Amino acid sequence: MNLFSLLQARAAAGKPVRVALIGAGKFGSMFLSQVPHVPGLEVPVIVDLDRDRAREACRTVGWDAERIAATSFTDDGVRAMNGPIDVVVEATGNPAVGIRHARAAIAAGKHIVMVNVEADVLAGPLLAQEARKAGVVYSLAYGDQPALTAEMVDWARATGFRVVAAGKGTKYLPSYHDVTPDGVWQHYGLTAGDAQSAGMNPQMFNSFLDGTKSAIEMAAIANACTLDVPTDGLLFPPCGVDDLPHIMRPRDKGGALERSGVVEVVSSLERDGRPVFRDLRWGVYVVLEAPNDYAADCFRQYGLKTDASGRYAAMYKPYHLIGLELNISILSAALRGEPTGQATGFRGDVAAVAKRNLRGGEMLDGEGGYTVWGKLMPAASSLKIGALPIGLAHRVKLRQDVAHGQVVRWSDVEFDANNETVRIRKAMEAAFAAQH
């Protein structure tokens, strides 16, 4: 709770925290909107494939002409790291590009904050290991739900509670797994025209709807918090905040979970489509268990909502502000040398699953597309069956048919074993296979 005072000291010493932002999309723009209001924080370089768009993003969020003129805009992320930069923020959303930027930042001795959760789930355990060896911080991005959940898990454990479940809320129905970009906007209450005029990408938004993004974020949390992954994927039980201690407990205690110590996402919709009362669609949670009768009595005395036994309670944060909160990660890395969540093992993976009957010769189109969605799996199970990670299901051709609902495997697709991203992923699997 002293980041601001540490930053003030840096500012007073004339040594501002300097950030290179890679990707000036929505997340990056939200971060940029806060920069002028944080003395001691500077963004001397912004990397984007469309430099004019990046400049316009700065104007849109309120940067004045002087600040924009003092900023370097480039499309070369690796070169941008060679200057006097303390922290690199990777916010492209492209797994292959994110891995390349993360490794370049680590090699250049810069801290790296990964907004790019897709890249983290594909190879984060290996990237974090490389960063630790290099003496720099590799971190999940505060403001996004994985880092916020990791913070709550850390709080629960540091105060002596057993973590029963942790995760987030989302809008979910089982039928959403098969939704394609053509049908996504009706589920958001928008027309295609409204979405297009707002510059909203249908495939990106569909990755949130079809369950892929939830799977990716839960894998990141599992890998960062040494939590388990449900054996057959996320359950998405309908659950409001008042019911978290009752529903998000093990089945042998009357809840929905197969066991204690897992990640899970709760739905803001009942299975018949009715809204859940006091839903957690935008927030994160942790369910905890009292370690003794005295602590359970304290739950009751201080008004915590618990299950009927009084032993299970929940803490939650109803909202997350994504890029508006990113400074917490940046300053934690630069001033404390600490990540706000970091993969310590390979416990969760996200496999590509067919949205329909796929035919040999078809091209897969990745997260939120027309062909596959991402299913959360225990990493051991994913490795055992040779599942194709969703982060590598981009522009690869099927060698054979894959039935609707089936996991796509490495053996089902044509891939280049010499591709850099494939090699890094394979190296990560080999490095952490001993865990399983």
Side-chain angles (χ1 to χ4, degrees):
M1 292 185 284
N2 63 345
L3 282 178
F4 186 61
S5 61
L6 290 173
L7 182 61
Q8 286 180 307
R10 281 280 294 258
K15 297 179 180 179
V17 174
R18 295 166 64 86
V19 179
L21 172 66
I22 306 179
K26 181 62 173 177
F27 201 115
S29 294
M30 294 178 78
F31 160 63
L32 293 172
S33 74
Q34 299 301 99
V35 171
H37 310 289
V38 186
L41 180 70
E42 295 182 358
V43 183
V45 58
I46 298 174
V47 182
D48 200 279
L49 293 177
D50 188 337
R51 287 173 285 181
D52 290 337
R53 186 192 74 157
R55 288 190 183 89
E56 183 58 32
C58 291
R59 284 189 284 269
T60 298
V61 302
W63 280 29
D64 58 29
E66 182 180 0
R67 185 178 294 271
I68 293 173
T71 303
S72 173
F73 293 86
T74 178
D75 58 6
D76 189 337
V78 175
R79 180 176 296 178
M81 300 173 194
N82 295 327
I85 295 296
D86 298 297
V87 182
V88 175
V89 173
E90 215 298 334
T92 66
N94 183 302
V97 171
I99 290 171
R100 185 164 66 248
H101 286 151
R103 300 191 85 206
I106 292 166
K110 314 297 184 183
H111 303 307
I112 176 76
V113 175
M114 291 293 282
V115 177
N116 194 333
V117 191
E118 293 80 3
D120 178 75
V121 169
L122 191 58
L126 182 65
L127 297 174
Q129 185 180 80
E130 291 180 354
R132 289 191 291 269
K133 289 179 179 177
V136 297
V137 173
Y138 172 94
S139 179
L140 295 173
Y142 199 90
D144 226 350
Q145 287 159 310
L148 296 181
T149 306
E151 179 184 50
M152 297 185 78
V153 169
D154 187 62
W155 166 85
R157 288 171 171 165
T159 49
F161 297 116
R162 181 185 183 192
V163 174
V164 177
K168 68 165 195 170
T170 196
K171 180 180 179 182
Y172 171 84
L173 290 173
S175 60
Y176 289 173
H177 291 310
D178 293 340
V179 175
T180 71
D182 289 342
V184 66
W185 298 128
Q186 62 179 314
H187 300 290
Y188 284 96
L190 298 169
T191 67
D194 290 337
Q196 184 176 12
S197 64
M200 299 166 72
N201 182 319
Q203 184 158 344
M204 182 191 75
F205 275 83
N206 198 43
S207 71
F208 288 89
L209 187 76
D210 71 8
T212 300
K213 194 71 169 182
S214 290
I216 288 171
E217 292 182 334
M218 293 306 104
I221 293 168
N223 292 338
C225 298
T226 60
L227 290 168
D228 289 331
V229 166
T231 301
D232 194 34
L234 294 168
L235 300 174
F236 296 96
C239 183
V241 295
D242 299 328
D243 293 325
L244 285 167
H246 176 73
I247 295 175
M248 306 308 291
R249 57 183 177 163
R251 289 173 192 153
D252 62 5
K253 303 297 183 182
L257 307 178
E258 62 180 315
R259 61 185 178 278
S260 188
V262 299
V263 295
E264 187 55 79
V265 177
V266 296
S267 177
S268 63
L269 295 178
E270 301 286 355
R271 288 296 189 259
D272 61 5
R274 290 178 297 114
V276 164
F277 178 66
R278 283 175 41 85
D279 68 77
L280 192 65
R281 180 178 177 185
W282 306 107
V284 297
Y285 76 92
V286 59
V287 171
L288 42 98
E289 182 181 0
N292 50 53
D293 291 340
Y294 185 85
D297 287 342
C298 291
F299 285 172
R300 177 179 51 81
Q301 292 160 5
Y302 286 87
L304 271 72
K305 291 186 181 299
T306 67
D307 73 327
S309 75
R311 299 300 290 258
Y312 295 91
M315 286 291 185
Y316 62 90
K317 190 176 238 184
Y319 304 104
H320 67 296
L321 297 178
I322 57 172
L324 299 180
E325 300 181 84
L326 182 60
N327 284 347
I328 302 301
S329 288
I330 292 168
L331 300 181
S332 181
L335 303 178
R336 289 181 179 155
E338 295 181 354
T340 51
Q342 177 191 92
T344 57
F346 183 37
R347 304 173 73 89
D349 198 12
V350 184
V353 174
K355 286 189 172 182
R356 53 176 172 78
N357 290 327
L358 301 175
R359 300 300 179 192
E362 286 193 66
M363 297 289 288
L364 302 184
D365 56 357
E367 300 99 327
Y370 293 85
T371 57
V372 291
W373 61 277
K375 179 178 180 177
L376 182 65
M377 295 183 68
S381 300
S382 173
L383 293 177
K384 183 177 181 179
I385 69 170
L388 179 71
I390 190 68
L392 289 174
H394 296 254
R395 294 183 296 278
V396 292
K397 184 183 289 188
L398 286 173
R399 299 173 57 191
Q400 56 198 23
D401 296 352
V402 179
H404 178 213
Q406 294 300 302
V407 172
V408 182
R409 308 183 187 217
W410 285 99
S411 57
D412 294 325
V413 299
E414 298 176 1
F415 65 91
D416 180 4
N418 294 316
N419 175 277
E420 180 187 13
T421 310
V422 171
R423 285 192 296 104
I424 293 170
R425 167 66 188 206
K426 289 294 188 180
M428 195 271 289
E429 291 181 358
F432 290 89
Q435 290 184 345
H436 311 292

